[in-house]
Amino acid sequence: MPLVPMKAILDATETYNYAQGAFNVNAVCQAKAVIEVHEMFRSAAILQGADLANAFMGGRTDFANGTLEDKKKGAQNIANAVKKYAENSPVPVALHLDHGKNFESCAAAIAGGYTSVMIDGSSLSFKENMELTREVVKYAHERGVTVEGELGVLAGVEDHVFAATSTYTNPMDAVEFFKKTGVDALAISYGTKHGANKGKDTVIRKEIAIATKECMLHEGIEGTLVSHGSSTVPQYIVKEINALGGDIHDAYGIKKEQLKEVSKLGIRKINVDTDIRLAVTRNLRELFANAPMLRESASIGAIYSLLEANPSAFDPRVFFPPIMDTVMYGNVPDEDVALIVDCIERGVKEVVGTLIVEFDSVGKAGLIENVSLDEMAERYRRKGI
């Protein structure tokens, strides 16, 4: 089926009281794996391409320096892959831009085929954040595209998103933000943290989520709360990476029990990226440990060299440059590259499948309304948002 606006998936989570995982992808085969594992569990799927993931998928291996043109190309590549695997899928699929840096990045993603965008104005003043978000909402809603904003600042590092300390979201500010921007979803800061180093005993402040949702209900506001920086950082995977020559320390995530709890308290979309990165990196290291002859492979030996040169890295984009044609377009030229693709897909399915179960979206694909972007645009127009 065609991609659905993310709002259709979020509306079901609100009605039936569960959460939907949202999973970041940086390669065609990752998109394929995310969709396939959601099909297995009969769950709707939200795939996310971060702003800089679009630059990477546009062929910019130094993605931190990606241009708008790189991002346009990459957004098209990601959207083409997601549409390809969603076309005959029995589950609804949405494609969401994670941490859109500015209006232009959001517009580029929409032009590429994204059905939802996030505009991250959290580093701006409250007023400037609302103004920028409202601008994106107006543009996106005219096209039926869902919009997510962010209020409050999460500590940690993820691509170009970084902050030393957190600023918690004020529930009353969240109410005003929803009212004045018309945004569909809002990422709040309530104790989660970007990256793999969230702290060993991090406790998220569920009372912020509860208070925000209660204020929204009191004011009759329709909207969804989102949890960023919510990877669980499975300790068994970290240990396995280190046993295979990696050097990752002080890597701790949000406990799954806490995420399960807030999924029933108003948090309906939970973003996960780091867990996928870790599982894929572990599988790559394992492949070369178990098959040493592949270290000399003409097509993938350079991946091994990058793994050896970067023991503390766990972002697969560090290791993918030798196979960019495979990353960007899904081409698999030989058996050795096929082994790498298998590592990537198995890693994705391992962590994504676990969280589909934990967040309680198993079997709920049939609850999602199959609405088109044009139909959603007309609904927004009637509501004046």
PDB file of all heavy atoms in Angstrom, residues 29-30 117 149 164 206 256 308-309 311 318 341 346-347:
ATOM      1  N   CYS A  29      18.972  -1.551   2.842  1.00  0.00           N
ATOM      2  CA  CYS A  29      18.701  -2.847   3.468  1.00  0.00           C
ATOM      3  C   CYS A  29      18.180  -2.696   4.892  1.00  0.00           C
ATOM      4  O   CYS A  29      17.466  -3.571   5.394  1.00  0.00           O
ATOM      5  CB  CYS A  29      19.939  -3.741   3.434  1.00  0.00           C
ATOM      6  SG  CYS A  29      21.385  -3.081   4.265  1.00  0.00           S
ATOM      7  N   GLN A  30      18.514  -1.584   5.570  1.00  0.00           N
ATOM      8  CA  GLN A  30      17.931  -1.348   6.887  1.00  0.00           C
ATOM      9  C   GLN A  30      16.440  -1.067   6.771  1.00  0.00           C
ATOM     10  O   GLN A  30      15.643  -1.549   7.582  1.00  0.00           O
ATOM     11  CB  GLN A  30      18.640  -0.175   7.574  1.00  0.00           C
ATOM     12  CG  GLN A  30      20.052  -0.493   8.052  1.00  0.00           C
ATOM     13  CD  GLN A  30      20.674   0.651   8.820  1.00  0.00           C
ATOM     14  OE1 GLN A  30      20.302   1.813   8.655  1.00  0.00           O
ATOM     15  NE2 GLN A  30      21.648   0.328   9.654  1.00  0.00           N
ATOM     16  N   VAL A 117       7.389  14.926   9.006  1.00  0.00           N
ATOM     17  CA  VAL A 117       8.664  15.599   9.252  1.00  0.00           C
ATOM     18  C   VAL A 117       8.707  16.129  10.674  1.00  0.00           C
ATOM     19  O   VAL A 117       7.687  16.497  11.248  1.00  0.00           O
ATOM     20  CB  VAL A 117       8.907  16.772   8.273  1.00  0.00           C
ATOM     21  CG1 VAL A 117       9.062  16.267   6.843  1.00  0.00           C
ATOM     22  CG2 VAL A 117       7.803  17.818   8.360  1.00  0.00           C
ATOM     23  N   GLY A 149       7.169  18.519  16.473  1.00  0.00           N
ATOM     24  CA  GLY A 149       8.049  19.567  16.974  1.00  0.00           C
ATOM     25  C   GLY A 149       8.801  19.067  18.193  1.00  0.00           C
ATOM     26  O   GLY A 149       8.669  17.905  18.593  1.00  0.00           O
ATOM     27  N   ALA A 164      24.862  19.824  26.379  1.00  0.00           N
ATOM     28  CA  ALA A 164      25.544  19.328  27.576  1.00  0.00           C
ATOM     29  C   ALA A 164      24.558  18.973  28.681  1.00  0.00           C
ATOM     30  O   ALA A 164      24.770  18.043  29.450  1.00  0.00           O
ATOM     31  CB  ALA A 164      26.541  20.369  28.069  1.00  0.00           C
ATOM     32  N   LYS A 206       8.514  10.533  34.608  1.00  0.00           N
ATOM     33  CA  LYS A 206       7.210  10.215  34.006  1.00  0.00           C
ATOM     34  C   LYS A 206       6.144  11.236  34.387  1.00  0.00           C
ATOM     35  O   LYS A 206       5.159  11.419  33.651  1.00  0.00           O
ATOM     36  CB  LYS A 206       6.771   8.816  34.425  1.00  0.00           C
ATOM     37  CG  LYS A 206       6.538   8.654  35.922  1.00  0.00           C
ATOM     38  CD  LYS A 206       6.169   7.219  36.260  1.00  0.00           C
ATOM     39  CE  LYS A 206       5.920   7.068  37.766  1.00  0.00           C
ATOM     40  NZ  LYS A 206       5.603   5.669  38.137  1.00  0.00           N
ATOM     41  N   LYS A 256      13.949  -0.714  29.588  1.00  0.00           N
ATOM     42  CA  LYS A 256      12.728  -1.024  28.851  1.00  0.00           C
ATOM     43  C   LYS A 256      11.482  -0.906  29.744  1.00  0.00           C
ATOM     44  O   LYS A 256      10.415  -0.505  29.276  1.00  0.00           O
ATOM     45  CB  LYS A 256      12.813  -2.434  28.262  1.00  0.00           C
ATOM     46  CG  LYS A 256      13.697  -2.539  27.044  1.00  0.00           C
ATOM     47  CD  LYS A 256      13.727  -3.926  26.451  1.00  0.00           C
ATOM     48  CE  LYS A 256      14.508  -4.887  27.306  1.00  0.00           C
ATOM     49  NZ  LYS A 256      14.731  -6.203  26.649  1.00  0.00           N
ATOM     50  N   GLU A 308      38.758  -2.036  12.478  1.00  0.00           N
ATOM     51  CA  GLU A 308      40.001  -2.115  13.248  1.00  0.00           C
ATOM     52  C   GLU A 308      40.513  -0.732  13.626  1.00  0.00           C
ATOM     53  O   GLU A 308      41.040  -0.531  14.717  1.00  0.00           O
ATOM     54  CB  GLU A 308      41.064  -2.860  12.437  1.00  0.00           C
ATOM     55  CG  GLU A 308      40.821  -4.351  12.340  1.00  0.00           C
ATOM     56  CD  GLU A 308      40.940  -5.025  13.702  1.00  0.00           C
ATOM     57  OE1 GLU A 308      42.078  -5.167  14.186  1.00  0.00           O
ATOM     58  OE2 GLU A 308      39.902  -5.386  14.281  1.00  0.00           O
ATOM     59  N   ALA A 309      40.331   0.230  12.722  1.00  0.00           N
ATOM     60  CA  ALA A 309      40.850   1.576  12.960  1.00  0.00           C
ATOM     61  C   ALA A 309      39.972   2.394  13.902  1.00  0.00           C
ATOM     62  O   ALA A 309      40.421   3.422  14.434  1.00  0.00           O
ATOM     63  CB  ALA A 309      40.990   2.307  11.631  1.00  0.00           C
ATOM     64  N   PRO A 311      37.889   1.329  16.972  1.00  0.00           N
ATOM     65  CA  PRO A 311      37.335   0.375  17.944  1.00  0.00           C
ATOM     66  C   PRO A 311      36.215   0.937  18.812  1.00  0.00           C
ATOM     67  O   PRO A 311      35.365   0.184  19.291  1.00  0.00           O
ATOM     68  CB  PRO A 311      38.549  -0.014  18.792  1.00  0.00           C
ATOM     69  CG  PRO A 311      39.512   1.117  18.628  1.00  0.00           C
ATOM     70  CD  PRO A 311      39.317   1.605  17.227  1.00  0.00           C
ATOM     71  N   VAL A 318      30.261   4.822   9.800  1.00  0.00           N
ATOM     72  CA  VAL A 318      31.727   4.889   9.803  1.00  0.00           C
ATOM     73  C   VAL A 318      32.304   3.767   8.940  1.00  0.00           C
ATOM     74  O   VAL A 318      33.356   3.928   8.311  1.00  0.00           O
ATOM     75  CB  VAL A 318      32.265   4.778  11.250  1.00  0.00           C
ATOM     76  CG1 VAL A 318      33.788   4.674  11.260  1.00  0.00           C
ATOM     77  CG2 VAL A 318      31.801   5.970  12.079  1.00  0.00           C
ATOM     78  N   VAL A 341      25.240  -7.371   3.979  1.00  0.00           N
ATOM     79  CA  VAL A 341      23.818  -7.019   4.002  1.00  0.00           C
ATOM     80  C   VAL A 341      23.074  -7.905   4.994  1.00  0.00           C
ATOM     81  O   VAL A 341      22.207  -7.435   5.748  1.00  0.00           O
ATOM     82  CB  VAL A 341      23.213  -7.138   2.591  1.00  0.00           C
ATOM     83  CG1 VAL A 341      21.687  -7.053   2.641  1.00  0.00           C
ATOM     84  CG2 VAL A 341      23.776  -6.049   1.680  1.00  0.00           C
ATOM     85  N   ARG A 346      20.003  -8.656   9.945  1.00  0.00           N
ATOM     86  CA  ARG A 346      19.786  -9.427  11.182  1.00  0.00           C
ATOM     87  C   ARG A 346      19.905  -8.545  12.409  1.00  0.00           C
ATOM     88  O   ARG A 346      19.148  -8.692  13.380  1.00  0.00           O
ATOM     89  CB  ARG A 346      20.776 -10.581  11.263  1.00  0.00           C
ATOM     90  CG  ARG A 346      20.433 -11.758  10.348  1.00  0.00           C
ATOM     91  CD  ARG A 346      21.314 -12.968  10.609  1.00  0.00           C
ATOM     92  NE  ARG A 346      22.710 -12.736  10.212  1.00  0.00           N
ATOM     93  CZ  ARG A 346      23.710 -12.512  11.051  1.00  0.00           C
ATOM     94  NH1 ARG A 346      23.474 -12.480  12.367  1.00  0.00           N
ATOM     95  NH2 ARG A 346      24.936 -12.324  10.621  1.00  0.00           N
ATOM     96  N   GLY A 347      20.842  -7.614  12.387  1.00  0.00           N
ATOM     97  CA  GLY A 347      20.994  -6.705  13.524  1.00  0.00           C
ATOM     98  C   GLY A 347      19.772  -5.837  13.715  1.00  0.00           C
ATOM     99  O   GLY A 347      19.288  -5.645  14.845  1.00  0.00           O
TER     100      GLY A 347
END
